[in-house]
Amino acid sequence: MSQYDHPTDPFRRRVVGASLGAAGLAALPLHSAIAQSGEIVVGAAPPITGVFAFAGVGLHQGLGDYCEWRNTKGGVAGRKLRYIGEDSGYKMDQAMSVFKKIMGANKPPVFYGDSTAWAKAAAKEVSQLGTTLTSSPSFSSDLADPKNVPYYFMAGPTYTAMGEILLEYINRTSRGASRPAVAIVYSDTEFGRDPIPGIKAKAGALQIPIVQEIVTKPGAVDVSAEVAKLRRAKPDYVIFHGYVLAPIPEFIKQMRESGMTTTPMGTIWSMDKTTVDAMGAAGQGWMGVMPYRYSYDTKDAPTMQIIKDFAAKARPNMSYVPLFYTHGWLVGMIFSEVMERCLKAGKPLTGANMKAALESIDNWDTGGVTGLLASLKGHQIASGRIYTYDANTKLLEPASGWIKTA
Amino acid sequence: MRIGDFRASYAHDESLWPTRVQRAWLGVLALALIAFPFGANGYQVSLACMLGIHVIAAAGLNIMTGYTGLISLGHAAFMGVGCYTAAWFAQRGVPFFATLPLAGATAALLGMVVGLPSLRIKGLYLAVATLATQFLVVYVFREWDSVTGGVRGVNVPNASLGGFELLNDQRMYFLIAPVAVALLVAARNLFRTRVGRAFIAIRDKDISAEVLGIHLLRYKLAAFAIGSFYAGVAGALLGYFYRAMTPEYFTLQLSIFYLAAIIVGGLGSMLGTILGAVFMTLVPELLRGVVAGIAQWAPRATEILSPVQQVVFGLLIVGFLVFEPHGLLEIWRRVRRTFHLWPFRA
């Protein structure tokens, strides 16, 4: 039998057949069992893969586990939660696609996205629909805007507020006649640039001089020229923002090698213990602002204890509960609190009702996840605490009390 | 069994769709396209809108790369130019039927500038030159605050026609689908003209083409201009579709997405463009659908299988390149031949 008798490779047929099989499986009705009466769907498009996957898995687990835990406590006003999360890949097209898919199939009253870009793109549609309250891991200052982005909130302070908390700490701890000098190093991204005008304004108000401002690529490797600039500026503190890890360790290493005693500081996404552990020796003395307690800090924080216990039971392989998980859990708490307030008042879960319920949250006890009683009037929780890393214990320890911004 | 087409005149020979069967199928397709948003759910309509945008952008790249042999890694930048142009004009009250050609024209102008080096360099060198354009243009998007909104991006007002706003995906579909169809037909027509045939001659051997009297610079610039025009229109539609856009969307990754689409689909073919765009848009959705289906019974499956689905998608692309280097188009042709020649083997 010659090759011309079978011009199509049987293997290729199998590949095509397998692909069609997968497509057929995908076409199965995905939501027929979901829309049971009484269930409340919590939709999500967390970035389980892609560049933000380091956080996305934890966010997904935290929000999903909160729904599971909440159901063991009777759900929200007697209604069970059903969490539906699909990977966004940290791509706007994919996140919007997941959003539209879950919105179309399940009509969730609450939805958790993956990024600033998603939040901005979805905002108009969400406003138009008027059915859904949204959140995401973005703390972009543009999004804490009850007027222009009415159905979005963030479970923490904006990046600008984080910068203000850092400056407030610097102001409170400064001694002597001369004011402490601060340098800002940020990535050339939307994330990196977001709080810079706010930080400058706050520094001006506190009369803290900004002696150097450096913009780098997000994962810049060679930072020697930037470190030379910092050496000349002699700042007491350097605030890094818009990074997760690189190039912060390289900056700190070179700063120390050149004899600088400057204190490096960061914001939320470079404050997880696993991230700071990865800095190695450069992590010693690293400081930064955290809106939540760390999972090992359970004293006088019953919710942190619940998180720790639930994660230990549900995820025995998880040796440490990352801040991303805590963030996801807190988002679930806020979603539930908002929906519970609406349902208990006999109001349907509409965007307007949920917005009103969200803005009614004031002096709310999060069980210690946030150190202060939380207020969501401004669609953010504008408080945090400064932590410092101890390389010996490999723990981030509180360096200040809880600080609230205006 | 069909054994061939009998063409009795030059007009018949030159016609776009020479057989009655083809015209009948196109009629069915047109009816299906019109009926689709009435029968599909919101998610499917939104996917169709994205697919339409991807098809237009990929068609532009195929004109440049597949038909003319000019490799471009700056296609996302051309799309961005179109998107920001449309946003800028739309914010000033210019209606979409004017912003779309304006967006295309602006991108085409940039395309011509970028295409200038193509007379001296080609292949990988040209790819690197267009890569530089990609980074330069995205830098401008980030820095030119007054026009692009800087890193915070821009809001794009709803497209509207006589007060009728295209404020949801179903309405946007009736803008995107006709534009996509019109541009695809135009592209197909292009390759029946002297211009289109000159593009193909340049791709096959530019020196021979020049000997034949084809002005290389003029036609290479024309290819860049037309390809960028398509990208600009796609970018404008993207802006209207999402109604907000940031520079971080128009990354190199997007340029590579379109390059992958035309390679997987089939270089130098409009049908290949469509097949490639369908593959690159819908296969990840199908894979995610499979994961979501499994997650109904095993909720923890999402976090384990989501990375796997990316691996599977990558393997599928590699598989196509290895087992069918001519792309999906060749598979389509084989399937078609099988039906035409049934019951005999293709």
Side-chain angles (χ1 to χ4, degrees):
Chain A
M1 193 180 283
S2 79
Q3 58 175 319
Y4 300 107
D5 293 323
H6 292 288
T8 306
D9 184 347
F11 175 72
R12 188 163 49 215
R13 282 186 179 159
R14 282 202 295 275
V15 170
V16 173
S19 308
L20 290 172
L25 185 57
L28 284 172
L30 302 178
H31 54 85
S32 55
I34 292 169
Q36 295 164 14
S37 66
E39 266 189 351
I40 299 174
V41 172
V42 176
I48 297 169
T49 59
V51 294
F52 209 61
F54 72 93
V57 175
L59 300 170
H60 170 71
Q61 292 172 335
L63 183 53
D65 284 4
Y66 175 78
C67 294
E68 259 187 70
W69 175 82
R70 183 81 187 205
N71 286 341
T72 65
K73 303 293 168 196
V76 172
R79 292 170 65 177
K80 297 279 184 193
L81 298 177
R82 182 173 182 113
Y83 174 71
I84 301 175
E86 284 189 32
D87 177 30
S88 77
Y90 203 60
K91 295 174 192 157
M92 195 175 92
D93 285 345
Q94 195 169 318
M96 284 301 287
S97 175
V98 171
F99 170 67
K100 290 186 184 208
K101 182 179 174 186
I102 295 176
M103 289 298 290
N106 306 288
K107 299 190 171 32
V110 289
F111 194 93
Y112 184 77
D114 74 335
S115 63
T116 308
W118 170 82
K120 286 182 177 176
K124 276 196 181 177
E125 187 163 340
V126 169
S127 295
Q128 202 175 297
L129 289 169
T131 58
T132 309
L133 186 68
T134 61
S135 186
S136 83
S138 172
F139 296 99
S140 169
S141 310
D142 289 348
L143 296 172
D145 183 349
K147 194 176 164 202
N148 293 316
V149 198
Y151 304 129
Y152 183 91
F153 73 88
M154 53 190 76
T158 62
Y159 295 126
T160 298
M162 289 181 206
E164 288 173 352
I165 291 166
L166 288 171
L167 290 169
E168 196 63 52
Y169 167 79
I170 292 168
N171 184 49
R172 288 180 192 179
T173 53
S174 63
R175 299 274 185 275
S178 64
R179 303 296 291 150
V182 171
I184 322 169
V185 179
Y186 56 95
S187 66
D188 191 13
T189 59
E190 191 276 339
F191 168 37
R193 290 189 187 196
D194 178 86
I196 305 308
I199 287 177
K200 286 180 184 171
K202 180 74 176 179
L206 294 173
Q207 295 179 317
I208 293 172
I210 302 288
V211 293
Q212 187 62 260
E213 185 180 336
I214 293 171
V215 190
T216 75
K217 285 183 181 173
V221 179
D222 180 13
V223 295
S224 47
E226 285 77 14
V227 172
K229 284 183 194 168
L230 288 175
R231 275 187 70 189
R232 285 195 290 276
K234 295 190 179 72
D236 297 298
Y237 297 90
V238 181
I239 296 175
F240 292 93
H241 177 74
Y243 310 102
V244 176
L245 189 60
I248 296 172
E250 189 58 25
F251 260 102
I252 298 173
K253 185 172 153 256
Q254 290 194 26
M255 281 158 60
R256 294 209 174 123
E257 280 172 0
S258 63
M260 292 175 71
T261 55
T262 304
T263 304
M265 296 179 129
T267 51
I268 181 166
W269 300 125
S270 48
M271 285 301 290
D272 188 48
K273 184 180 126 51
T274 51
T275 311
V276 187
D277 284 346
M279 290 185 191
Q284 177 63 42
W286 170 253
M287 296 183 97
V289 55
M290 256 292 282
Y292 321 124
R293 278 196 167 84
Y294 285 92
S295 54
Y296 46 80
D297 180 9
T298 54
K299 194 184 172 197
D300 301 326
T303 303
M304 297 310 298
Q305 189 62 53
I306 290 168
I307 290 174
K308 202 174 168 184
D309 293 345
F310 191 86
K313 200 173 99 187
R315 301 179 185 279
N317 295 331
M318 187 187 266
S319 57
Y320 158 76
V321 179
L323 81 88
F324 318 114
Y325 185 100
T326 307
H327 171 88
W329 188 283
L330 181 61
V331 169
M333 285 174 69
I334 298 170
F335 278 155
S336 301
E337 181 67 20
V338 165
M339 292 191 289
E340 191 165 50
R341 286 183 187 214
C342 284
L343 294 173
K344 280 189 175 169
K347 293 178 180 170
L349 298 177
T350 64
N353 288 339
M354 286 190 285
K355 178 178 182 284
L358 179 78
E359 289 168 4
S360 74
I361 295 177
D362 194 22
N363 290 324
W364 178 52
D365 186 0
T366 59
V369 179
T370 58
L372 302 174
L373 295 175
S375 167
L376 278 145
K377 280 181 181 172
H379 293 209
Q380 62 163 318
I381 302 173
S383 66
R385 178 156 70 173
I386 307 301
Y387 281 83
T388 186
Y389 184 70
D390 184 339
N392 296 320
T393 59
K394 291 192 180 299
L395 293 176
L396 284 126
E397 301 288 359
S400 76
W402 291 90
I403 299 171
K404 194 171 187 173
T405 63
Chain B
M1 185 180 77
R2 273 172 56 199
I3 55 168
D5 303 320
F6 182 64
R7 301 179 188 193
S9 66
Y10 284 121
H12 189 201
D13 198 32
E14 282 189 340
S15 60
L16 269 180
W17 295 288
T19 69
R20 262 185 300 191
V21 177
Q22 279 181 323
R23 287 193 290 274
W25 276 114
L26 281 170
V28 171
L29 179 66
L31 286 175
L33 284 175
I34 293 166
F36 175 76
F38 300 107
N41 63 33
Y43 163 63
Q44 289 160 342
V45 174
S46 78
L47 272 185
C49 289
M50 270 318 293
L51 182 58
I53 292 167
H54 287 328
V55 164
I56 297 169
L61 187 62
N62 218 343
I63 290 170
M64 280 197 270
T65 304
Y67 283 100
T68 321
L70 304 169
I71 302 172
S72 170
L73 290 175
H75 213 56
F78 299 132
M79 277 186 84
V81 168
C83 179
Y84 284 112
T85 305
W88 194 84
F89 281 112
Q91 284 166 352
R92 281 149 187 82
V94 179
F96 73 83
F97 52 81
T99 60
L100 291 185
L102 281 169
T106 313
L109 273 176
L110 177 72
M112 288 170 75
V113 174
V114 173
L116 279 173
S118 66
L119 189 65
R120 301 296 297 272
I121 54 175
K122 56 186 178 182
L124 288 175
Y125 296 93
L126 181 61
V128 172
T130 55
L131 182 65
T133 308
Q134 166 72 37
F135 291 121
L136 274 171
V137 173
V138 171
Y139 176 79
V140 172
F141 293 161
R142 284 206 309 265
E143 298 300 324
W144 199 3
D145 262 49
S146 57
V147 173
T148 64
V151 290
R152 289 169 197 275
V154 285
N155 283 316
V156 186
N158 288 333
S160 65
L161 187 61
F164 182 74
E165 282 196 279
L166 308 184
L167 43 69
N168 58 36
D169 295 345
Q170 197 181 38
R171 292 181 185 181
M172 275 304 295
Y173 175 88
F174 285 106
L175 171 62
I176 293 169
V179 172
V181 170
L183 289 176
L184 283 174
V185 172
R188 200 175 151 108
N189 252 314
L190 178 71
F191 294 97
R192 299 189 310 158
T193 65
R194 177 185 159 83
V195 176
R197 292 184 196 284
F199 289 172
I200 294 168
I202 290 170
R203 177 195 65 191
D204 291 345
K205 195 72 182 171
D206 55 355
I207 297 170
S208 306
E210 195 167 23
V211 169
L212 289 171
I214 292 167
H215 193 289
L216 286 188
L217 181 62
R218 187 182 302 159
Y219 283 104
K220 282 185 176 181
L221 290 190
F224 262 102
I226 295 169
S228 308
F229 179 89
Y230 275 60
V233 172
L237 289 171
L238 188 77
Y240 281 122
F241 181 63
Y242 282 136
R243 294 178 280 183
M245 194 48 71
T246 60
E248 289 174 19
Y249 186 88
F250 303 105
T251 56
L252 177 63
Q253 203 180 0
L254 186 65
S255 294
I256 291 169
F257 172 91
Y258 289 121
L259 206 55
I262 60 169
I263 292 171
V264 169
L267 287 165
S269 157
M270 281 302 133
L271 182 59
T273 300
I274 297 170
L275 294 174
V278 167
F279 179 88
M280 294 296 289
T281 310
L282 299 189
V283 170
E285 290 294 323
L286 288 172
L287 290 173
R288 221 182 47 246
V290 172
V291 173
I294 294 168
Q296 281 187 53
W297 294 281
R300 300 269 155 82
T302 307
E303 60 208 66
I304 299 162
L305 294 178
S306 292
V308 175
Q309 93 194 22
Q310 292 207 329
V311 174
V312 171
F313 183 52
L315 287 176
L316 280 174
I317 292 177
V318 173
F320 273 117
L321 294 177
V322 171
F323 296 106
E324 188 45 271
H326 296 296
L328 291 164
L329 180 69
E330 194 52 38
I331 295 175
W332 168 259
R333 282 178 180 153
R334 247 199 326 270
V335 169
R336 217 168 63 139
R337 269 201 305 274
T338 304
F339 281 101
H340 283 173
L341 300 178
W342 189 86
F344 301 102
R345 282 187 184 279

